[in-house]
Amino acid sequence: MSGYMTMRLVKRVGPAGTVYANDIQPQMLQFLQQRIDRAKIGNVVLVQSAVDDPRLPEAALDLELLVDVYHEFSRPQAMLRHLRDALKPTGRLVLVEYRKEDPAIPIKFEHKMSVKEARMEVEAEGLKLSDVNEELPRQHILIFTKP
């Protein structure tokens, strides 16, 4: 369901915070707008991204959370540059991706990422892998920060 994480993040940031919900598909943003309207939430900013630019404000975000989406980017390096630029100096980019290292995970191979792959691509754009959390049963939680 579209907006699953958005609706939870709104509760975490509280009324004084802002959540940017980003998608390349306008239909998904329209669906999320309906959910936001029904819930009478006022602190979500919907942003339609391009294939190479998430169109987020520069140096404004504390956290960027990408759940099972990074591997889908057709222009990952361009997206990463923009994502890096949208982070505050202490901000974090968090990728949640299915573990390519585990062949037993019943997800298509092309929908998985290894820690090594993610690290190579993300660190090439100036972020540093600061933590790998393996608590989820099938996914890595990879946390990148500015050096």
Side-chain angles (χ1 to χ4, degrees):
M1 179 185 318
S2 178
Y4 178 86
M5 296 306 288
T6 300
M7 302 308 273
R8 277 136 192 87
L9 289 170
V10 163
K11 292 175 184 173
R12 293 290 303 228
V13 303
T18 301
V19 173
Y20 288 84
N22 191 293
D23 204 299
I24 196 165
Q25 298 177 22
Q27 305 89 327
M28 297 307 265
L29 292 172
Q30 291 167 1
F31 178 77
L32 181 54
Q33 183 65 61
Q34 293 170 356
R35 287 189 72 187
I36 291 166
D37 291 345
R38 280 193 306 271
K40 297 182 182 358
I41 296 170
N43 59 341
V44 176
V45 176
L46 301 180
V47 181
Q48 184 175 347
S49 68
V51 295
D52 60 351
D53 185 353
R55 298 179 176 153
L56 295 167
E58 194 164 321
L61 305 179
D62 295 301
L63 173 70
E64 297 169 339
L65 176 63
L66 286 74
V67 179
D68 300 326
V69 70
Y70 175 77
H71 68 273
E72 297 284 351
F73 288 169
S74 61
R75 305 254 335 262
Q77 299 316 123
M79 285 294 273
L80 285 167
R81 283 190 290 278
H82 290 290
L83 288 166
R84 176 202 62 215
D85 293 345
L87 286 173
K88 291 179 179 178
T90 57
R92 296 170 292 157
L93 168 66
V94 178
L95 304 181
V96 179
E97 289 287 341
Y98 285 98
R99 293 186 193 119
K100 187 178 265 187
E101 297 90 341
D102 186 350
I105 294 173
I107 299 292
K108 289 182 180 180
F109 187 75
E110 60 269 18
H111 294 290
K112 297 179 182 183
M113 282 200 82
S114 70
V115 173
K116 182 179 178 182
E117 288 171 330
R119 184 176 191 177
M120 180 183 66
E121 291 182 18
V122 178
E123 288 188 347
E125 298 307 330
L127 296 172
K128 182 180 186 300
L129 181 63
S130 61
D131 193 19
V132 177
N133 182 315
E134 301 287 1
E135 292 180 25
L136 295 176
R138 295 180 175 181
Q139 297 150 302
H140 307 290
I141 302 172
L142 308 173
I143 301 171
F144 294 89
T145 55
K146 290 185 173 183

